[in-house]
Amino acid sequence: MTFINEVITEETKGEFDFSRLTDPISGHPIAPRKRWTIDRDRNAVLIIIGGGTPEIPEFYALIWKGDIIKFSAISKVSSSPETGRIISWDIFDIDIPIPLQSKQEDICQLIREAIDAKGWLYDRDCLRNVIINIQLPTTH
């Protein structure tokens, strides 16, 4: 299976533990979300956890096999009759837990696939192309 966008229902919201997620700005637990981008076969889900104003990037959590990988993202949508609608993503400040440091390439690939599937406003079909630039995390 691949990543797909879904509405989070009462039946599906228990599939992942969101209790450890906090808004990076306020530090408060995140409010319930309505949508996610999920790959059940790989036990991975992408969810926005905050931000998203013109001055503040969007903050995401990728929950993969129970581990939380957080990152920041800025997107820009452009459109023209020649190119169609394109979204460009800059992904940065990737926070990979220490036990997963050796899986950096796999994690970056998961982020790339999840963001591509998320598309624009949880709609990939409205886009002709998704461009994703990932600033690799620094290792500690």
Side-chain angles (χ1 to χ4, degrees):
M1 193 174 206
T2 59
F3 281 98
I4 58 171
N5 296 311
E6 284 186 350
V7 172
I8 302 171
T9 65
E10 284 298 316
E11 294 79 32
T12 60
K13 72 178 179 181
E15 292 181 30
F16 290 88
D17 178 13
F18 296 112
S19 65
R20 297 181 291 155
L21 297 177
T22 57
D23 183 297
I25 297 172
S26 71
H28 295 112
I30 64 166
R33 299 300 190 237
K34 295 180 181 178
R35 299 186 69 83
W36 62 17
T37 304
I38 187 168
D39 183 331
R40 285 186 176 81
D41 288 345
R42 291 188 282 182
N43 195 15
V45 64
L46 177 72
I47 191 161
I48 189 165
I49 57 173
T53 68
E55 300 82 28
I56 300 172
E58 293 177 325
F59 301 108
Y60 286 90
L62 175 69
I63 303 173
W64 182 41
K65 299 178 183 176
D67 290 302
I68 299 172
I69 299 108
K70 295 180 181 177
F71 62 92
S72 301
I74 296 174
S75 63
K76 180 181 177 187
V77 177
S78 60
S79 182
S80 76
E82 295 82 29
T83 63
R85 185 177 290 144
I86 297 171
I87 190 167
S88 299
W89 289 90
D90 289 317
I91 309 294
F92 55 98
D93 291 342
I94 303 172
D95 183 16
I96 299 174
I98 291 171
L100 298 179
Q101 293 285 322
S102 65
K103 298 183 184 281
Q104 177 177 303
E105 287 182 35
D106 295 334
I107 290 167
C108 287
Q109 183 61 31
L110 276 173
I111 291 171
R112 185 177 305 283
E113 291 176 31
I115 288 289
D116 186 287
K118 179 183 178 291
W120 184 50
L121 303 174
Y122 296 95
D123 183 1
R124 179 58 174 88
D125 293 338
C126 74
L127 298 169
R128 178 176 244 174
N129 196 11
V130 176
I131 300 167
I132 301 168
N133 301 303
I134 295 181
Q135 180 183 355
L136 294 176
T138 56
T139 55
H140 305 285

